[in-house]
Amino acid sequence: MPRPLALDTQTAVVTGAGTGVGREIARALHGAGYRVILSDIDEESVYQLAEELDLASELALTAKLDISSPEDFQRVLDLTVERWGSVEVLVNNASVTKAQPLMEITPGDFNRVMATNAGGVFAASQIFARHFKERSYGRIVNLASLAGQNGGTATGVHYAASKGAILTLTKVFARDLAPYGITVNAIAPGPLDSPVVDRLIPDEKREEFISSIPVGQLGDPKFIADMVVMLASPMASYVTGACWDANGGLNLR
């Protein structure tokens, strides 16, 4: 089967599209010409976005998806194929973010966050990769984190470890899927001007926190969304297994 090139025939599934970076990713992909599935565990959170993007529901649809449930990924894939015939892009954006002191995290806490964040990326990538292999084309973009590279400073070890695992999963899937026209890449943002950072950093510490970033500012979620669009493009066929850093100079390598 010929590899699809026209963006208006391609469909992207975005997890965690209801808030923050996920919303900007969905907006950017839709603006670039993709049909988008706006998925989130809180389906209400994506209704307004769907109306904003496409009131007629011709190019943007909502779906309830819990990333801790592999069955949800298969259901969303099946529904999308039934509606539009195929999926070409998967964006693994949704995750659980928790800030807890190291010695207060129980094994149960650790395992739940790991299973949700890393386990969700594994299940989604595996399920969608089967579909991509049938079509000899696909793009998977995983949202990792600076925390997965430096161990985290404002987040818990379970979150940092899960994001580190996502970086490893990106490499493994990239290596195995490359012969099938499928690329798998990760983006590792540092602190962004987003609701997550608002929750983690108290207002009284915000100025001090921002001053610790070499470029002196928080990252823009819209720029991260533009990076996703770039990696989702048919033109991005020569890069796979890579981690794209966007951290304001907090981690240089």
Side-chain angles (χ1 to χ4, degrees):
M1 178 179 294
R3 297 182 182 182
L5 294 177
L7 297 187
D8 60 3
T9 66
Q10 291 202 27
T11 301
V13 173
V14 182
T15 71
T19 59
V21 178
R23 288 180 73 90
E24 296 303 333
I25 291 171
R27 285 192 179 108
L29 286 167
H30 182 268
Y34 292 86
R35 301 174 298 202
V36 291
I37 298 293
L38 314 170
S39 71
D40 202 286
I41 191 171
D42 177 12
E43 196 173 9
E44 292 288 337
S45 68
V46 288
Y47 285 153
Q48 182 180 358
L49 178 60
E51 292 183 352
E52 170 196 322
L53 297 180
D54 179 23
L55 192 59
S57 297
E58 294 179 355
L59 299 175
L61 299 176
T62 65
K64 183 177 178 63
L65 190 154
D66 180 352
I67 61 171
S68 67
S69 172
E71 296 79 10
D72 278 12
F73 289 111
Q74 187 64 58
R75 177 179 52 80
V76 170
L77 174 60
D78 292 344
L79 289 172
T80 307
V81 171
E82 180 180 354
R83 173 64 186 267
W84 283 322
S86 66
V87 178
E88 286 71 35
V89 177
L90 168 67
V91 182
N92 286 310
N93 164 73
S95 66
V96 174
T97 306
K98 288 191 175 182
Q100 287 180 279
L102 174 62
M103 302 308 291
E104 295 179 11
I105 296 173
T106 68
D109 293 334
F110 182 87
N111 291 337
R112 277 189 291 274
V113 172
M114 284 292 293
T116 300
N117 293 354
V121 167
F122 172 78
S125 299
Q126 189 180 64
I127 289 168
F128 278 77
R130 295 188 184 112
H131 174 71
F132 293 159
K133 286 177 70 174
E134 292 175 356
R135 298 178 52 76
S136 297
Y137 181 89
R139 298 284 184 264
I140 299 175
V141 184
N142 298 323
L143 269 293
S145 172
L146 171 63
Q149 298 170 312
N150 68 1
T153 55
T155 57
V157 65
H158 39 14
Y159 175 80
S162 71
K163 291 297 185 175
I166 288 170
L167 292 173
T168 299
L169 288 169
T170 298
K171 296 176 183 179
V172 173
F173 276 96
R175 181 187 62 226
D176 284 15
L177 298 177
Y180 304 97
I182 305 165
T183 64
V184 187
N185 290 286
I187 298 173
L192 303 176
D193 189 4
S194 68
V196 172
V197 170
D198 290 342
R199 290 199 306 270
L200 294 175
I201 308 300
D203 288 343
E204 63 272 16
K205 294 186 177 180
R206 189 177 180 89
E207 184 175 344
E208 178 185 357
F209 179 77
I210 293 175
S211 68
S212 71
I213 302 172
V215 300
Q217 65 184 61
L218 294 170
D220 184 352
K222 292 182 179 179
F223 179 73
I224 303 301
D226 288 342
M227 293 177 74
V228 172
V229 172
M230 176 187 67
L231 293 172
S233 166
M235 296 295 291
S237 59
Y238 194 59
V239 57
T240 193
C243 175
W244 296 69
D245 296 346
N247 57 46
L250 284 168
N251 185 47
L252 304 176
R253 61 189 179 103

